[in-house]
Amino acid sequence: MSNIPQLISLNQACEITSLSRTMINRLRSEGRFPMAVSLGEKRIAFCRDEVATWVEARIAEREVA
């Protein structure tokens, strides 16, 4: 069971990244944020590890710049 990716809601992704829903959706439309997983007609989620990796990449970019 521990190998199953953990899914998080859009609101949880907002909390982790400190970004608004609008900004996450903009980044998604530009292909600059992890892809969402469709859970139903009006429900999406994100893989927690992918969002964490995205945050780590933003931190790494800061350190290089």
Side-chain angles (χ1 to χ4, degrees):
M1 181 98 172
S2 63
N3 292 336
I4 297 173
Q6 185 177 7
L7 297 177
I8 60 171
S9 69
L10 177 55
N11 287 339
Q12 289 171 306
C14 291
E15 288 177 23
I16 291 170
T17 62
S18 298
L19 296 173
S20 68
R21 294 169 63 97
T22 301
M23 188 61 184
I24 286 178
N25 285 327
R26 182 178 302 145
L27 292 171
R28 286 178 54 216
S29 71
E30 296 171 355
R32 298 174 45 209
F33 195 79
M35 290 183 65
V37 177
S38 177
L39 299 178
E41 202 172 303
K42 295 184 179 185
R43 181 81 173 158
I44 62 167
F46 298 90
C47 291
R48 181 184 217 71
D49 291 344
E50 292 176 3
V51 174
T53 299
W54 184 88
V55 170
E56 290 168 357
R58 303 295 73 74
I59 292 168
E61 287 174 2
R62 175 198 67 189
E63 293 170 352
V64 172

Short mmCIF file of all heavy atoms in Angstrom, two decimals:
data_model
loop_
_atom_site.label_atom_id
_atom_site.label_comp_id
_atom_site.label_asym_id
_atom_site.label_seq_id
_atom_site.Cartn_x
_atom_site.Cartn_y
_atom_site.Cartn_z
N MET A 1 0.81 -1.20 0.00
CA MET A 1 0.00 0.00 0.00
C MET A 1 0.85 1.26 0.00
O MET A 1 0.45 2.27 -0.52
CB MET A 1 -0.92 -0.03 1.23
CG MET A 1 -1.83 1.13 1.33
SD MET A 1 -3.43 0.71 0.70
CE MET A 1 -4.33 2.14 1.15
N SER A 2 2.04 1.22 0.57
CA SER A 2 2.87 2.42 0.64
C SER A 2 3.41 2.85 -0.72
O SER A 2 3.90 3.96 -0.85
CB SER A 2 4.03 2.19 1.62
OG SER A 2 4.86 1.15 1.14
N ASN A 3 3.35 1.96 -1.73
CA ASN A 3 3.83 2.32 -3.07
C ASN A 3 2.78 3.06 -3.88
O ASN A 3 3.07 3.52 -4.97
CB ASN A 3 4.28 1.08 -3.82
CG ASN A 3 5.52 0.46 -3.22
OD1 ASN A 3 6.29 1.14 -2.55
ND2 ASN A 3 5.70 -0.82 -3.42
N ILE A 4 1.57 3.16 -3.38
CA ILE A 4 0.50 3.84 -4.09
C ILE A 4 0.69 5.35 -3.93
O ILE A 4 0.80 5.84 -2.81
CB ILE A 4 -0.89 3.42 -3.57
CG1 ILE A 4 -1.11 1.93 -3.82
CG2 ILE A 4 -1.98 4.25 -4.22
CD1 ILE A 4 -2.36 1.39 -3.20
N PRO A 5 0.75 6.10 -5.04
CA PRO A 5 0.91 7.55 -4.94
C PRO A 5 -0.26 8.17 -4.17
O PRO A 5 -1.40 7.77 -4.33
CB PRO A 5 0.90 8.03 -6.39
CG PRO A 5 1.22 6.83 -7.20
CD PRO A 5 0.70 5.65 -6.43
N GLN A 6 0.06 9.13 -3.33
CA GLN A 6 -0.98 9.82 -2.57
C GLN A 6 -1.50 10.99 -3.39
O GLN A 6 -0.73 11.79 -3.92
CB GLN A 6 -0.43 10.33 -1.25
CG GLN A 6 -1.49 10.95 -0.38
CD GLN A 6 -0.94 11.38 0.97
OE1 GLN A 6 0.25 11.34 1.21
NE2 GLN A 6 -1.83 11.81 1.83
N LEU A 7 -2.82 11.06 -3.50
CA LEU A 7 -3.45 12.15 -4.24
C LEU A 7 -3.87 13.25 -3.27
O LEU A 7 -4.29 12.97 -2.15
CB LEU A 7 -4.67 11.64 -5.00
CG LEU A 7 -4.40 10.61 -6.08
CD1 LEU A 7 -5.71 10.14 -6.71
CD2 LEU A 7 -3.47 11.16 -7.14
N ILE A 8 -3.72 14.48 -3.73
CA ILE A 8 -4.12 15.63 -2.94
C ILE A 8 -5.06 16.50 -3.76
O ILE A 8 -5.01 16.49 -4.99
CB ILE A 8 -2.90 16.45 -2.45
CG1 ILE A 8 -2.08 16.97 -3.63
CG2 ILE A 8 -2.05 15.63 -1.49
CD1 ILE A 8 -0.99 17.95 -3.24
N SER A 9 -5.90 17.24 -3.09
CA SER A 9 -6.85 18.12 -3.77
C SER A 9 -6.16 19.38 -4.28
O SER A 9 -5.01 19.68 -3.90
CB SER A 9 -7.96 18.51 -2.80
OG SER A 9 -7.44 19.36 -1.78
N LEU A 10 -6.87 20.12 -5.09
CA LEU A 10 -6.37 21.40 -5.56
C LEU A 10 -6.12 22.34 -4.38
O LEU A 10 -5.10 23.03 -4.34
CB LEU A 10 -7.35 22.04 -6.56
CG LEU A 10 -6.99 23.42 -7.10
CD1 LEU A 10 -5.61 23.44 -7.74
CD2 LEU A 10 -8.04 23.88 -8.09
N ASN A 11 -7.02 22.33 -3.41
CA ASN A 11 -6.82 23.17 -2.23
C ASN A 11 -5.56 22.78 -1.46
O ASN A 11 -4.83 23.65 -0.98
CB ASN A 11 -8.04 23.11 -1.31
CG ASN A 11 -9.21 23.87 -1.89
OD1 ASN A 11 -9.05 24.74 -2.74
ND2 ASN A 11 -10.40 23.54 -1.43
N GLN A 12 -5.29 21.50 -1.36
CA GLN A 12 -4.08 21.05 -0.68
C GLN A 12 -2.84 21.45 -1.48
O GLN A 12 -1.83 21.84 -0.90
CB GLN A 12 -4.11 19.54 -0.46
CG GLN A 12 -5.11 19.12 0.59
CD GLN A 12 -5.29 17.61 0.63
OE1 GLN A 12 -5.57 16.98 -0.39
NE2 GLN A 12 -5.12 17.04 1.81
N ALA A 13 -2.93 21.38 -2.80
CA ALA A 13 -1.81 21.82 -3.65
C ALA A 13 -1.56 23.31 -3.44
O ALA A 13 -0.41 23.75 -3.40
CB ALA A 13 -2.10 21.52 -5.12
N CYS A 14 -2.63 24.08 -3.27
CA CYS A 14 -2.50 25.51 -2.98
C CYS A 14 -1.76 25.72 -1.66
O CYS A 14 -0.87 26.57 -1.56
CB CYS A 14 -3.86 26.18 -2.91
SG CYS A 14 -4.71 26.29 -4.49
N GLU A 15 -2.11 24.95 -0.65
CA GLU A 15 -1.46 25.07 0.65
C GLU A 15 0.02 24.73 0.57
O GLU A 15 0.85 25.44 1.12
CB GLU A 15 -2.14 24.14 1.67
CG GLU A 15 -3.52 24.59 2.09
CD GLU A 15 -4.18 23.60 3.04
OE1 GLU A 15 -3.46 22.82 3.70
OE2 GLU A 15 -5.41 23.60 3.11
N ILE A 16 0.35 23.66 -0.14
CA ILE A 16 1.74 23.22 -0.25
C ILE A 16 2.59 24.23 -1.01
O ILE A 16 3.73 24.49 -0.63
CB ILE A 16 1.80 21.83 -0.92
CG1 ILE A 16 1.21 20.77 0.02
CG2 ILE A 16 3.23 21.47 -1.32
CD1 ILE A 16 1.00 19.42 -0.63
N THR A 17 2.04 24.81 -2.07
CA THR A 17 2.81 25.70 -2.93
C THR A 17 2.71 27.18 -2.56
O THR A 17 3.48 27.99 -3.05
CB THR A 17 2.35 25.57 -4.40
OG1 THR A 17 0.97 25.96 -4.47
CG2 THR A 17 2.53 24.16 -4.91
N SER A 18 1.73 27.52 -1.73
CA SER A 18 1.43 28.92 -1.40
C SER A 18 0.93 29.70 -2.61
O SER A 18 1.08 30.92 -2.67
CB SER A 18 2.64 29.63 -0.78
OG SER A 18 3.00 29.02 0.43
N LEU A 19 0.37 28.99 -3.58
CA LEU A 19 -0.19 29.63 -4.77
C LEU A 19 -1.71 29.58 -4.70
O LEU A 19 -2.29 28.71 -4.07
CB LEU A 19 0.27 28.91 -6.04
CG LEU A 19 1.75 28.94 -6.35
CD1 LEU A 19 2.06 28.05 -7.54
CD2 LEU A 19 2.22 30.36 -6.61
N SER A 20 -2.35 30.52 -5.41
CA SER A 20 -3.81 30.52 -5.49
C SER A 20 -4.27 29.46 -6.49
O SER A 20 -3.49 28.99 -7.33
CB SER A 20 -4.32 31.89 -5.94
OG SER A 20 -3.93 32.12 -7.29
N ARG A 21 -5.55 29.12 -6.41
CA ARG A 21 -6.14 28.20 -7.37
C ARG A 21 -5.98 28.75 -8.79
O ARG A 21 -5.66 28.01 -9.73
CB ARG A 21 -7.62 27.98 -7.06
CG ARG A 21 -7.89 27.28 -5.76
CD ARG A 21 -9.36 27.33 -5.38
NE ARG A 21 -10.22 26.67 -6.32
CZ ARG A 21 -10.67 25.43 -6.19
NH1 ARG A 21 -10.38 24.74 -5.12
NH2 ARG A 21 -11.43 24.89 -7.11
N THR A 22 -6.19 30.05 -8.94
CA THR A 22 -6.08 30.69 -10.25
C THR A 22 -4.68 30.54 -10.82
O THR A 22 -4.50 30.21 -11.99
CB THR A 22 -6.46 32.18 -10.15
OG1 THR A 22 -7.79 32.29 -9.65
CG2 THR A 22 -6.33 32.88 -11.49
N MET A 23 -3.67 30.76 -9.98
CA MET A 23 -2.28 30.66 -10.45
C MET A 23 -1.92 29.22 -10.80
O MET A 23 -1.27 28.98 -11.83
CB MET A 23 -1.32 31.21 -9.40
CG MET A 23 0.09 31.31 -9.88
SD MET A 23 0.19 32.45 -11.29
CE MET A 23 1.89 32.29 -11.73
N ILE A 24 -2.35 28.28 -9.99
CA ILE A 24 -2.07 26.87 -10.31
C ILE A 24 -2.74 26.51 -11.63
O ILE A 24 -2.12 25.87 -12.49
CB ILE A 24 -2.53 25.94 -9.17
CG1 ILE A 24 -1.55 26.07 -8.00
CG2 ILE A 24 -2.60 24.48 -9.66
CD1 ILE A 24 -1.90 25.23 -6.79
N ASN A 25 -3.97 26.93 -11.83
CA ASN A 25 -4.66 26.62 -13.09
C ASN A 25 -3.97 27.29 -14.27
O ASN A 25 -3.90 26.72 -15.36
CB ASN A 25 -6.13 26.99 -13.00
CG ASN A 25 -6.91 26.01 -12.17
OD1 ASN A 25 -6.60 24.82 -12.14
ND2 ASN A 25 -7.91 26.48 -11.46
N ARG A 26 -3.46 28.49 -14.08
CA ARG A 26 -2.72 29.17 -15.16
C ARG A 26 -1.45 28.38 -15.49
O ARG A 26 -1.14 28.13 -16.67
CB ARG A 26 -2.36 30.59 -14.75
CG ARG A 26 -1.62 31.35 -15.84
CD ARG A 26 -1.31 32.78 -15.45
NE ARG A 26 -2.55 33.49 -15.12
CZ ARG A 26 -2.64 34.42 -14.16
NH1 ARG A 26 -1.58 34.78 -13.48
NH2 ARG A 26 -3.78 35.02 -13.93
N LEU A 27 -0.71 27.99 -14.46
CA LEU A 27 0.51 27.21 -14.69
C LEU A 27 0.19 25.87 -15.36
O LEU A 27 0.93 25.42 -16.24
CB LEU A 27 1.25 26.98 -13.36
CG LEU A 27 1.88 28.22 -12.73
CD1 LEU A 27 2.37 27.91 -11.33
CD2 LEU A 27 3.00 28.77 -13.60
N ARG A 28 -0.90 25.25 -14.95
CA ARG A 28 -1.33 23.99 -15.58
C ARG A 28 -1.60 24.19 -17.06
O ARG A 28 -1.17 23.38 -17.89
CB ARG A 28 -2.60 23.45 -14.91
CG ARG A 28 -2.37 22.85 -13.55
CD ARG A 28 -3.68 22.39 -12.92
NE ARG A 28 -4.38 21.48 -13.82
CZ ARG A 28 -5.71 21.43 -13.95
NH1 ARG A 28 -6.49 22.24 -13.26
NH2 ARG A 28 -6.27 20.58 -14.78
N SER A 29 -2.30 25.27 -17.40
CA SER A 29 -2.64 25.52 -18.80
C SER A 29 -1.39 25.80 -19.65
O SER A 29 -1.39 25.56 -20.85
CB SER A 29 -3.64 26.66 -18.93
OG SER A 29 -3.04 27.90 -18.64
N GLU A 30 -0.34 26.28 -19.00
CA GLU A 30 0.93 26.55 -19.68
C GLU A 30 1.85 25.34 -19.66
O GLU A 30 2.96 25.40 -20.19
CB GLU A 30 1.63 27.74 -19.00
CG GLU A 30 0.88 29.05 -19.11
CD GLU A 30 1.46 30.15 -18.26
OE1 GLU A 30 2.42 29.90 -17.49
OE2 GLU A 30 0.96 31.28 -18.34
N GLY A 31 1.43 24.25 -19.02
CA GLY A 31 2.27 23.06 -18.93
C GLY A 31 3.42 23.20 -17.95
O GLY A 31 4.42 22.50 -18.06
N ARG A 32 3.28 24.11 -16.99
CA ARG A 32 4.37 24.40 -16.04
C ARG A 32 4.05 23.93 -14.62
O ARG A 32 4.71 24.36 -13.67
CB ARG A 32 4.64 25.91 -16.04
CG ARG A 32 5.11 26.40 -17.39
CD ARG A 32 5.25 27.91 -17.47
NE ARG A 32 5.92 28.46 -16.32
CZ ARG A 32 5.69 29.69 -15.85
NH1 ARG A 32 4.80 30.47 -16.42
NH2 ARG A 32 6.33 30.13 -14.80
N PHE A 33 3.06 23.05 -14.47
CA PHE A 33 2.69 22.49 -13.17
C PHE A 33 2.33 21.04 -13.40
O PHE A 33 1.89 20.67 -14.50
CB PHE A 33 1.49 23.26 -12.58
CG PHE A 33 1.28 23.01 -11.11
CD1 PHE A 33 2.06 23.64 -10.17
CD2 PHE A 33 0.31 22.12 -10.69
CE1 PHE A 33 1.88 23.41 -8.82
CE2 PHE A 33 0.11 21.88 -9.34
CZ PHE A 33 0.90 22.53 -8.40
N PRO A 34 2.52 20.18 -12.40
CA PRO A 34 2.19 18.77 -12.59
C PRO A 34 0.77 18.56 -13.11
O PRO A 34 -0.16 19.29 -12.74
CB PRO A 34 2.35 18.18 -11.19
CG PRO A 34 3.35 19.08 -10.52
CD PRO A 34 3.06 20.44 -11.06
N MET A 35 0.61 17.57 -13.95
CA MET A 35 -0.70 17.27 -14.54
C MET A 35 -1.66 16.77 -13.47
O MET A 35 -1.26 16.06 -12.55
CB MET A 35 -0.57 16.22 -15.63
CG MET A 35 0.14 16.74 -16.87
SD MET A 35 0.21 15.48 -18.17
CE MET A 35 -1.51 15.30 -18.53
N ALA A 36 -2.90 17.15 -13.62
CA ALA A 36 -3.94 16.70 -12.70
C ALA A 36 -4.41 15.30 -13.07
O ALA A 36 -4.29 14.87 -14.21
CB ALA A 36 -5.12 17.66 -12.74
N VAL A 37 -4.93 14.62 -12.07
CA VAL A 37 -5.55 13.30 -12.26
C VAL A 37 -7.06 13.51 -12.19
O VAL A 37 -7.55 14.07 -11.21
CB VAL A 37 -5.10 12.33 -11.14
CG1 VAL A 37 -5.79 10.99 -11.27
CG2 VAL A 37 -3.59 12.18 -11.13
N SER A 38 -7.76 13.09 -13.20
CA SER A 38 -9.21 13.23 -13.21
C SER A 38 -9.82 12.15 -12.31
O SER A 38 -9.56 10.96 -12.49
CB SER A 38 -9.75 13.09 -14.63
OG SER A 38 -11.16 13.15 -14.62
N LEU A 39 -10.63 12.57 -11.36
CA LEU A 39 -11.29 11.64 -10.44
C LEU A 39 -12.77 11.50 -10.74
O LEU A 39 -13.44 10.65 -10.16
CB LEU A 39 -11.10 12.11 -8.99
CG LEU A 39 -9.67 12.22 -8.49
CD1 LEU A 39 -9.67 12.73 -7.07
CD2 LEU A 39 -8.97 10.88 -8.59
N GLY A 40 -13.26 12.32 -11.59
CA GLY A 40 -14.68 12.30 -11.93
C GLY A 40 -14.99 13.48 -12.82
O GLY A 40 -14.10 14.20 -13.26
N GLU A 41 -16.27 13.69 -13.04
CA GLU A 41 -16.69 14.73 -13.96
C GLU A 41 -16.18 16.12 -13.57
O GLU A 41 -15.76 16.90 -14.41
CB GLU A 41 -18.21 14.73 -14.04
CG GLU A 41 -18.74 15.36 -15.29
CD GLU A 41 -20.24 15.15 -15.40
OE1 GLU A 41 -20.68 13.99 -15.38
OE2 GLU A 41 -20.95 16.16 -15.50
N LYS A 42 -16.20 16.44 -12.29
CA LYS A 42 -15.80 17.78 -11.84
C LYS A 42 -14.79 17.73 -10.71
O LYS A 42 -14.71 18.65 -9.90
CB LYS A 42 -17.03 18.56 -11.38
CG LYS A 42 -18.01 18.85 -12.49
CD LYS A 42 -19.14 19.70 -11.99
CE LYS A 42 -20.10 20.02 -13.12
NZ LYS A 42 -21.15 20.93 -12.72
N ARG A 43 -14.01 16.65 -10.64
CA ARG A 43 -13.08 16.49 -9.52
C ARG A 43 -11.71 16.11 -10.05
O ARG A 43 -11.57 15.18 -10.85
CB ARG A 43 -13.60 15.41 -8.58
CG ARG A 43 -12.77 15.16 -7.38
CD ARG A 43 -13.06 16.18 -6.32
NE ARG A 43 -12.34 15.79 -5.11
CZ ARG A 43 -12.03 16.61 -4.17
NH1 ARG A 43 -12.39 17.87 -4.24
NH2 ARG A 43 -11.38 16.20 -3.11
N ILE A 44 -10.68 16.85 -9.62
CA ILE A 44 -9.30 16.53 -9.97
C ILE A 44 -8.47 16.42 -8.70
O ILE A 44 -8.88 16.88 -7.64
CB ILE A 44 -8.67 17.58 -10.91
CG1 ILE A 44 -8.61 18.95 -10.23
CG2 ILE A 44 -9.37 17.62 -12.26
CD1 ILE A 44 -7.74 19.97 -10.95
N ALA A 45 -7.31 15.83 -8.87
CA ALA A 45 -6.35 15.73 -7.77
C ALA A 45 -4.96 15.77 -8.39
O ALA A 45 -4.79 15.71 -9.61
CB ALA A 45 -6.56 14.44 -6.99
N PHE A 46 -3.97 15.88 -7.53
CA PHE A 46 -2.57 15.90 -7.95
C PHE A 46 -1.81 14.85 -7.15
O PHE A 46 -2.16 14.57 -6.01
CB PHE A 46 -1.94 17.27 -7.72
CG PHE A 46 -2.60 18.37 -8.50
CD1 PHE A 46 -3.66 19.08 -7.96
CD2 PHE A 46 -2.19 18.66 -9.77
CE1 PHE A 46 -4.29 20.08 -8.68
CE2 PHE A 46 -2.82 19.66 -10.51
CZ PHE A 46 -3.87 20.37 -9.96
N CYS A 47 -0.75 14.31 -7.74
CA CYS A 47 0.13 13.40 -7.01
C CYS A 47 0.98 14.25 -6.07
O CYS A 47 1.67 15.18 -6.52
CB CYS A 47 1.02 12.62 -7.95
SG CYS A 47 0.14 11.43 -8.96
N ARG A 48 0.89 13.94 -4.78
CA ARG A 48 1.62 14.70 -3.77
C ARG A 48 3.11 14.76 -4.09
O ARG A 48 3.73 15.82 -3.98
CB ARG A 48 1.40 14.08 -2.39
CG ARG A 48 2.10 14.82 -1.28
CD ARG A 48 1.91 14.06 0.04
NE ARG A 48 1.75 14.92 1.17
CZ ARG A 48 0.71 15.67 1.47
NH1 ARG A 48 -0.32 15.70 0.69
NH2 ARG A 48 0.67 16.42 2.55
N ASP A 49 3.72 13.65 -4.49
CA ASP A 49 5.15 13.63 -4.78
C ASP A 49 5.52 14.54 -5.95
O ASP A 49 6.57 15.17 -5.94
CB ASP A 49 5.62 12.20 -5.06
CG ASP A 49 5.61 11.32 -3.83
OD1 ASP A 49 5.53 11.85 -2.70
OD2 ASP A 49 5.68 10.08 -4.00
N GLU A 50 4.64 14.60 -6.95
CA GLU A 50 4.91 15.46 -8.11
C GLU A 50 4.86 16.94 -7.71
O GLU A 50 5.67 17.74 -8.18
CB GLU A 50 3.92 15.18 -9.23
CG GLU A 50 4.11 13.82 -9.86
CD GLU A 50 3.07 13.50 -10.90
OE1 GLU A 50 2.20 14.35 -11.21
OE2 GLU A 50 3.12 12.36 -11.43
N VAL A 51 3.91 17.29 -6.85
CA VAL A 51 3.83 18.68 -6.39
C VAL A 51 5.05 19.01 -5.53
O VAL A 51 5.66 20.08 -5.67
CB VAL A 51 2.51 18.93 -5.61
CG1 VAL A 51 2.49 20.32 -5.00
CG2 VAL A 51 1.32 18.75 -6.54
N ALA A 52 5.46 18.08 -4.68
CA ALA A 52 6.65 18.30 -3.84
C ALA A 52 7.89 18.46 -4.71
O ALA A 52 8.73 19.33 -4.46
CB ALA A 52 6.82 17.14 -2.87
N THR A 53 8.01 17.65 -5.75
CA THR A 53 9.14 17.76 -6.68
C THR A 53 9.13 19.11 -7.38
O THR A 53 10.18 19.73 -7.58
CB THR A 53 9.11 16.61 -7.71
OG1 THR A 53 9.21 15.37 -7.00
CG2 THR A 53 10.23 16.72 -8.72
N TRP A 54 7.94 19.58 -7.76
CA TRP A 54 7.80 20.88 -8.40
C TRP A 54 8.29 21.99 -7.47
O TRP A 54 9.02 22.89 -7.89
CB TRP A 54 6.34 21.10 -8.80
CG TRP A 54 6.09 22.37 -9.55
CD1 TRP A 54 6.16 22.55 -10.90
CD2 TRP A 54 5.73 23.64 -9.00
NE1 TRP A 54 5.87 23.86 -11.21
CE2 TRP A 54 5.60 24.55 -10.06
CE3 TRP A 54 5.51 24.09 -7.71
CZ2 TRP A 54 5.27 25.87 -9.86
CZ3 TRP A 54 5.18 25.41 -7.51
CH2 TRP A 54 5.06 26.29 -8.59
N VAL A 55 7.90 21.92 -6.19
CA VAL A 55 8.34 22.92 -5.21
C VAL A 55 9.86 22.86 -5.06
O VAL A 55 10.54 23.90 -5.04
CB VAL A 55 7.65 22.69 -3.83
CG1 VAL A 55 8.28 23.55 -2.76
CG2 VAL A 55 6.16 22.96 -3.95
N GLU A 56 10.41 21.66 -4.95
CA GLU A 56 11.87 21.51 -4.81
C GLU A 56 12.60 22.10 -6.01
O GLU A 56 13.67 22.70 -5.86
CB GLU A 56 12.22 20.04 -4.63
CG GLU A 56 11.77 19.49 -3.28
CD GLU A 56 11.85 17.98 -3.19
OE1 GLU A 56 12.20 17.31 -4.20
OE2 GLU A 56 11.54 17.45 -2.11
N ALA A 57 12.03 21.94 -7.20
CA ALA A 57 12.65 22.51 -8.40
C ALA A 57 12.65 24.03 -8.35
O ALA A 57 13.61 24.67 -8.78
CB ALA A 57 11.93 22.01 -9.65
N ARG A 58 11.58 24.63 -7.83
CA ARG A 58 11.54 26.09 -7.69
C ARG A 58 12.63 26.55 -6.72
O ARG A 58 13.29 27.56 -6.94
CB ARG A 58 10.19 26.59 -7.16
CG ARG A 58 8.94 26.21 -7.97
CD ARG A 58 8.83 26.80 -9.36
NE ARG A 58 9.70 26.24 -10.36
CZ ARG A 58 9.57 25.04 -10.94
NH1 ARG A 58 8.59 24.25 -10.60
NH2 ARG A 58 10.41 24.64 -11.85
N ILE A 59 12.83 25.81 -5.65
CA ILE A 59 13.87 26.15 -4.68
C ILE A 59 15.25 26.02 -5.33
O ILE A 59 16.11 26.88 -5.17
CB ILE A 59 13.76 25.27 -3.42
CG1 ILE A 59 12.47 25.61 -2.67
CG2 ILE A 59 14.98 25.43 -2.52
CD1 ILE A 59 12.10 24.63 -1.57
N ALA A 60 15.45 24.95 -6.09
CA ALA A 60 16.74 24.74 -6.77
C ALA A 60 17.02 25.85 -7.77
O ALA A 60 18.17 26.29 -7.90
CB ALA A 60 16.75 23.38 -7.46
N GLU A 61 15.99 26.33 -8.46
CA GLU A 61 16.18 27.43 -9.41
C GLU A 61 16.65 28.68 -8.69
O GLU A 61 17.49 29.42 -9.19
CB GLU A 61 14.87 27.74 -10.14
CG GLU A 61 14.47 26.72 -11.16
CD GLU A 61 13.11 26.99 -11.76
OE1 GLU A 61 12.47 28.00 -11.40
OE2 GLU A 61 12.67 26.18 -12.59
N ARG A 62 16.13 28.91 -7.50
CA ARG A 62 16.53 30.07 -6.71
C ARG A 62 18.00 29.98 -6.35
O ARG A 62 18.73 30.96 -6.40
CB ARG A 62 15.68 30.13 -5.44
CG ARG A 62 16.09 31.23 -4.49
CD ARG A 62 15.56 31.01 -3.12
NE ARG A 62 16.21 29.83 -2.56
CZ ARG A 62 15.86 29.26 -1.45
NH1 ARG A 62 14.85 29.69 -0.76
NH2 ARG A 62 16.50 28.20 -0.99
N GLU A 63 18.46 28.79 -5.99
CA GLU A 63 19.83 28.61 -5.56
C GLU A 63 20.82 28.76 -6.70
O GLU A 63 21.94 29.18 -6.49
CB GLU A 63 19.98 27.23 -4.89
CG GLU A 63 19.20 27.15 -3.59
CD GLU A 63 19.11 25.74 -3.02
OE1 GLU A 63 19.53 24.79 -3.71
OE2 GLU A 63 18.61 25.61 -1.90
N VAL A 64 20.40 28.46 -7.92
CA VAL A 64 21.27 28.56 -9.09
C VAL A 64 21.36 30.00 -9.57
O VAL A 64 22.39 30.47 -9.98
CB VAL A 64 20.76 27.65 -10.24
CG1 VAL A 64 21.53 27.89 -11.51
CG2 VAL A 64 20.86 26.20 -9.82
N ALA A 65 20.25 30.71 -9.50
CA ALA A 65 20.19 32.07 -10.03
C ALA A 65 21.03 33.05 -9.27
O ALA A 65 21.50 32.95 -8.25
CB ALA A 65 18.75 32.54 -10.04
#
